[in-house]
Amino acid sequence: MSDRIEPDAVDDIVLQWARQWPDLDVSALHIFGRMHRSYLRYQSSLSAVFEKHGINVASFDVLAALRRSGPPYQMTSGQLAEMSLVTTGGVTLRVDRLEQAGLVERERDATDRRVVYARLTAKGKEVFDAAAKEHFENENHMLAGLNAPERKQLADLFRKLERSIVASETGADSSASA
């Protein structure tokens, strides 16, 4: 494999902008354009895997949070919302769908009836485990073009990028957390 990097669609777009509007700084497209195109391909691949198991990305997110929590595989809507960066209302809709599919069940706390848990059912655990196995194999397959040091470097850079984006939203200094 050659070390020469072939131009791609993003390079073409950046070149077109340079010709049409030379004073416009579109250099961020080198990163965000590729990240977006990669995400669209990734999302398509994810959806194909999850559809085989009768779930979607949102369902997988809830099921994964419950599965990671360990036995008895239960969390409140607030805990699920915190884990997935979705509102409690959004979580409620997801849990409703999963409950209808028999993948989770709701249960009130025995000591505080105001607290309601979403708990993974046996069927939910079985569906999730099969989907997760295929999903993580698929993700590793998608990363096959990167060696271990490149994967670590990319993960570190994405961590730094997320911190930079959060800092830009809050007005904080992103270099302080880098």
Side-chain angles (χ1 to χ4, degrees):
M1 189 155 97
S2 168
D3 284 345
R4 182 174 161 8
I5 297 176
E6 295 293 322
D8 62 8
V10 173
D11 291 317
D12 293 341
I13 291 167
V14 170
L15 188 59
Q16 289 168 347
W17 277 117
R19 275 192 239 120
Q20 296 304 316
W21 196 347
D23 296 339
L24 183 64
D25 180 8
V26 298
S27 59
L29 271 176
H30 287 288
I31 295 167
F32 289 110
R34 287 185 178 92
M35 188 169 67
H36 183 69
R37 291 171 59 86
S38 295
Y39 173 75
L40 292 175
R41 291 177 187 274
Y42 170 75
Q43 187 70 23
S44 176
S45 185
L46 283 185
S47 295
V49 168
F50 295 152
E51 283 174 16
K52 287 185 211 175
H53 298 277
I55 60 175
N56 60 26
V57 174
S59 297
F60 184 86
D61 189 35
V62 171
L63 295 172
L66 293 171
R67 180 69 168 90
R68 286 190 316 264
S69 73
Y73 309 114
Q74 69 183 24
M75 298 173 81
T76 65
S77 290
Q79 291 169 324
L80 287 166
E82 223 174 273
M83 296 290 291
S84 61
L85 300 178
V86 176
T87 65
T88 54
V91 167
T92 298
L93 290 174
R94 291 176 179 191
V95 171
D96 286 346
R97 290 185 190 117
L98 290 166
E99 188 174 38
Q100 289 169 357
L103 303 179
V104 301
E105 59 190 6
R106 287 185 168 100
E107 182 177 297
R108 293 201 177 274
D109 186 283
T111 58
D112 185 349
R113 304 288 293 157
R114 294 171 297 174
V115 176
V116 178
Y117 293 102
R119 182 177 33 213
L120 201 55
T121 63
K123 177 183 175 186
K125 184 176 180 298
E126 182 181 314
V127 167
F128 175 79
D129 287 358
K133 185 175 180 348
E134 188 174 345
H135 165 63
F136 291 116
E137 287 171 357
N138 184 44
E139 284 190 331
N140 281 315
H141 178 72
M142 286 188 271
L143 291 174
L146 302 174
N147 62 35
E150 289 169 331
R151 287 181 184 200
K152 182 181 179 330
Q153 180 183 21
L154 186 59
D156 291 345
L157 289 171
F158 273 123
R159 179 182 301 110
K160 191 171 184 178
L161 174 61
E162 183 179 9
R163 288 179 180 154
S164 179
I165 292 170
V166 168
S168 76
E169 294 170 345
T170 62
D173 180 8
S174 65
S175 63
S177 62

